[in-house]
Every structure is written in C-alpha cells, then in structure tokens.
Amino acid sequence: MRLISLFVLGILLCFSTSQAIAEERLYLYTENFPPYNMSTSGRAFEHSADMIDGICMERVRAALNQSGYDYRVKLRNWNYGYNRALTKPNHGIFCTTYTEERAPMFKWIGPLAQNLWTIFAPAGSTFKMNTLEDARGKTIGGYRNDVRSEYLLQRGYKVSVIDSDDLNPKRLALGQIDLWIAERLGGPYMASQQDIEGLVPVYSFNDVDLYLAMSPDTPDQVIEDLNKALEITRENGTYDAIGTKYGL
C-alpha cells in the first residue's frame, strides 16, 4: 500500500513539475523593424525565432538562452503583439520604448538598444524643420500603438496611423502622407526594403531606450531572472558584440 502511495505521489510530483515548466514558457512578439527586429526571409510574419534576426532579437535570444527559460518568438504586426503583451501572463513584446506613461502597464527587461526618433520627408523634398512645431498641419505617417505616434497624437499633431509601419515609406513616396515618423537608423533601412531610397531626415528628437516589455501578470521572478541574464551578456561581451555586428 505504501509503494502504491509513493507511486501516486511521484506521478503527482511529475505532473506538478511539468505544469510549472509549462507555466514558465514565455511567448514573445516582435515586428519587422529593421535593423532591430526583422524576418530573415523578408516575410511579414514569422512563426519561429530562428527566422527572426536583428539587434534586439539577437540580444533577447542571448538573454533567454542564458536564463534557461523555454520560449517562443513570433513576428507579427505591432498592434497584435502589443495587445497580447498587455493582457496575457508570460507574454511580451520587443523592442518597445520605455516611457513614464507605459511604465506601470508592463514589466521591463533592458535596455536592449537606443532609438532616435526622426521625421522623414520624401526624396527630393526641400521641406525644413527647426522644431517639431514646424510639422504642425502636415499629415504624418505612423502606426497603431507605436509610442511615437501616440506622442504626436497627444500633442495635437495630425497622424495617419495604420497597422503596419512597413507600408509608410510607400505612402510617403506616393504623397499619401506628407511626412513619416520613424527611427533614424531603422527608417531608411525599412524604406530600402520597399525599394524606396533617398528619404530626407528633416528633424530628429527624443533619444530613447528600447526594452522587452512583459505582461504585468508575469511573475516578478521571471523579470528578475531575465534582467540578470541580460546583464551577464553585457559582462561576457555578447551584448556589445551584437551591436558591433550591426554597426553600433
């Protein structure tokens, strides 16, 4: 009878352990935002971390591998991943900008990289900007739930938002928008993937840090472990080596 009890206890312990491991699996989302995150095949969506590259992806992967957590990474449009990271435990999104407004909405791992916000005009444009106010009255391309679009909308600028930022370079070239707010390094790279060259950076501002943002219902231990793992990648040189690879 005692042997049977021990056997049943063993099964229950195994089940409990398996359940705990399953609960610790992390589900992360990113977008095509080169050179920070991008599909290696040029597709709009990817279902595997092996098919995603970029500065943030490589640094996130290094930290995850260091931490030992099981994880899945998918590339989707920003709005899809952002809403899942807001509402589902152990779900996260990267790279996203840390702001005071967003701080209580997520739990944060990073920083992973830096981002200089830049307003672009179409190729050949002679439009000049000395301050952000010079863009007042212009239609600025952005995308839904992006911190830059939110920043402009909150200040009364006219922003035309769509679900995926990679359509904005073409919209700019076709005159559907007057300007485009993107990232100083990533904007031209993304445009080149759409065969759009020569965009004119007319104004840069707000140099910010990019993070992995996890759902607020994610256990604090997971956040602590991932931040420790990221710090180890800094100490052993992996973090800087990834930046050097991308010219940072």
Side-chain angles (χ1 to χ4, degrees), residues 33-55:
F33 180 40
Y36 297 97
N37 335 290
M38 52 195 169
S39 164
T40 60
S41 66
R43 291 191 294 255
F45 302 108
E46 295 292 356
H47 302 284
S48 167
D50 294 338
M51 298 301 293
I52 307 168
D53 212 345
I55 301 164

Side-chain angles (χ1 to χ4, degrees), residues 120-218:
F120 291 92
S125 173
T126 58
F127 179 66
K128 304 291 183 184
M129 286 183 64
N130 295 312
T131 71
L132 190 57
E133 277 296 311
D134 293 331
R136 188 74 67 181
K138 301 286 187 180
T139 300
I140 305 169
Y143 64 109
R144 204 161 279 112
N145 281 324
D146 172 57
V147 68
R148 292 163 302 204
S149 299
E150 292 172 351
Y151 181 93
L152 294 176
L153 287 166
Q154 288 166 5
R155 286 157 179 79
Y157 290 89
K158 184 179 179 182
V159 186
S160 174
V161 295
I162 55 177
D163 284 334
S164 182
D165 201 31
D166 59 4
L167 298 177
N168 277 318
K170 182 70 73 175
R171 296 172 76 206
L172 185 63
L174 292 174
Q176 296 172 356
I177 52 178
D178 301 314
L179 302 167
W180 173 39
I181 187 165
E183 195 273 329
R184 184 66 181 84
L185 181 62
Y189 191 103
M190 182 184 294
S192 70
Q193 303 302 299
Q194 309 297 322
D195 296 322
I196 306 296
E197 304 288 348
L199 297 187
V200 181
V202 292
Y203 188 70
S204 293
F205 65 109
N206 221 15
D207 197 359
V208 296
D209 289 327
L210 301 174
Y211 282 73
L212 164 60
M214 297 295 296
S215 160
D217 295 324
T218 302

